[in-house]
Amino acid sequence: MSARKGPGGPAEPAGDAGAAAIEIRGLRKSFGDNEVLSGIDFHVDAGEVVCVIGPSGSGKSTLLRCVNLLEEPSAGTVRVAGAEVTDPDIDIDAARRRIGMVFQSFNLFPHLTALGNVTIAQRKVLKRDRAEAERVARANLERVGLADKVAEYPGRLSGGQQQRVAIARALAMDPRVMLFDEPTSALDPELVGDVLGVMRELAEDGMTMLVVTHEMSFAREVADRVVFMDGGVVVEEGPPSRVLDDPEHERTRTFLARVLDPAGQGP
């Protein structure tokens, strides 16, 4: 049994090692006549970190939004922590409590402090009282390196600090899995490292993570598996060393060549 650290408390079970925390079968999503996802099949085991890479328009963000039902799939099934979130009869609010999501934009309330941003959903959704919500919020803000910023408003925080508040907010809801949609894409380059460092620590703590990213070094160092998507399908997946260094498919090789050597200069 692997474990995940609770918010300032004892470790919580994260599920049996090897059990599928996210299971996706036959997932399709269309917007009108445009099919963005064309039959996705893959899973993320409990405690596993899976990084999804691919060109713009390949369906990566739509995939994450379907897992959290921010987009309703056109077909297929999605299970998270054993519950089928695509079941028409599911309590979607209860299902979403199992899923933490961090977006490209920070989506913080500008009129609330960092502490307020991390407590508000706990109090309204989980019905925690103020004292408990603040205890959990402070523990998670400390976890992301912002213990000294609890009273600051978003406008006084850097982009990297705002994103770390957003991560703390998601963690405070005690999710079973965390979804990250290119969480560093809106940051200045010098601020990227702090956010990726927090994500590395979450991975080391055993958090199940599905990460859409363009940070190939992060995928190489932290991911258990890398999934390459293009045209709404999974082209290939496997260990980072194989997918990033010795891909099987020409489309993957072309994408990586452009990403890793954008000037086309070669070695």
Side-chain angles (χ1 to χ4, degrees):
M1 177 77 75
S2 59
R4 181 174 66 249
K5 290 182 180 178
E12 302 171 353
D16 294 330
I22 302 173
E23 186 173 4
I24 299 168
R25 293 288 178 263
L27 182 63
R28 294 180 178 273
K29 176 62 182 178
S30 296
F31 296 97
D33 295 332
N34 180 27
E35 189 172 58
V36 178
L37 300 176
S38 303
I40 302 292
D41 292 284
F42 79 92
H43 68 279
V44 182
D45 289 338
E48 189 177 31
V49 178
V50 174
C51 285
V52 182
I53 64 172
S56 297
S58 60
K60 307 183 302 296
S61 294
T62 301
L63 170 66
L64 287 193
R65 293 175 69 85
C66 284
V67 171
N68 204 20
L69 282 197
L70 294 174
E71 296 287 354
E72 184 177 351
S74 303
T77 61
V78 177
R79 291 182 176 274
V80 177
E84 184 186 338
V85 299
T86 45
D87 183 340
D89 296 324
I90 195 168
D91 181 342
I92 188 56
D93 291 331
R96 283 191 181 129
R97 292 171 199 166
R98 303 165 178 245
I99 307 167
M101 188 156 182
V102 178
F103 300 88
Q104 297 177 37
S105 55
F106 319 126
N107 297 328
L108 300 179
F109 292 108
H111 65 289
L112 297 179
T113 64
L115 186 68
N117 269 282
V118 182
T119 58
I120 186 169
Q122 295 184 67
R123 298 183 65 195
K124 291 186 176 293
V125 177
L126 300 183
K127 306 303 181 184
R128 288 174 176 160
D129 62 36
R130 181 183 296 274
E132 175 66 5
E134 289 191 357
R135 183 192 71 79
V136 172
R138 290 178 184 277
N140 280 295
L141 285 166
E142 180 177 7
R143 188 176 183 183
V144 301
L146 294 176
D148 60 337
K149 302 294 185 182
V150 294
E152 295 287 359
Y153 290 89
R156 295 178 57 85
L157 299 174
S158 71
Q161 290 170 333
Q162 290 184 62
Q163 191 61 295
R164 283 186 280 157
V165 172
I167 294 173
R169 177 180 58 191
L171 292 173
M173 302 298 286
D174 299 332
R176 299 289 296 275
V177 303
M178 287 283 286
L179 311 179
F180 292 87
D181 187 6
E182 298 196 13
T184 61
S185 64
L187 302 180
D188 292 335
E190 66 269 22
L191 303 177
V192 168
D194 290 340
V195 173
L196 294 181
V198 169
M199 294 171 65
R200 286 188 181 93
E201 291 179 5
L202 293 179
E204 291 170 0
D205 288 346
M207 174 63 73
T208 304
M209 298 163 60
L210 181 58
V211 184
V212 170
T213 185
H214 60 274
E215 300 287 347
M216 297 301 149
S217 60
F218 175 84
R220 185 186 304 278
E221 295 167 16
V222 179
D224 297 293
R225 280 186 294 131
V226 171
V227 173
F228 173 67
M229 287 183 62
D230 189 32
V233 300
V234 172
V235 176
E236 66 178 297
E237 63 177 297
S241 59
R242 187 186 64 71
V243 175
L244 299 180
D245 297 332
D246 189 24
E248 295 178 353
H249 293 265
E250 178 61 29
R251 183 66 188 93
T252 315
R253 290 193 289 271
T254 301
F255 169 77
L256 290 171
R258 290 175 177 170
V259 170
L260 299 176
D261 186 20
Q265 299 297 313

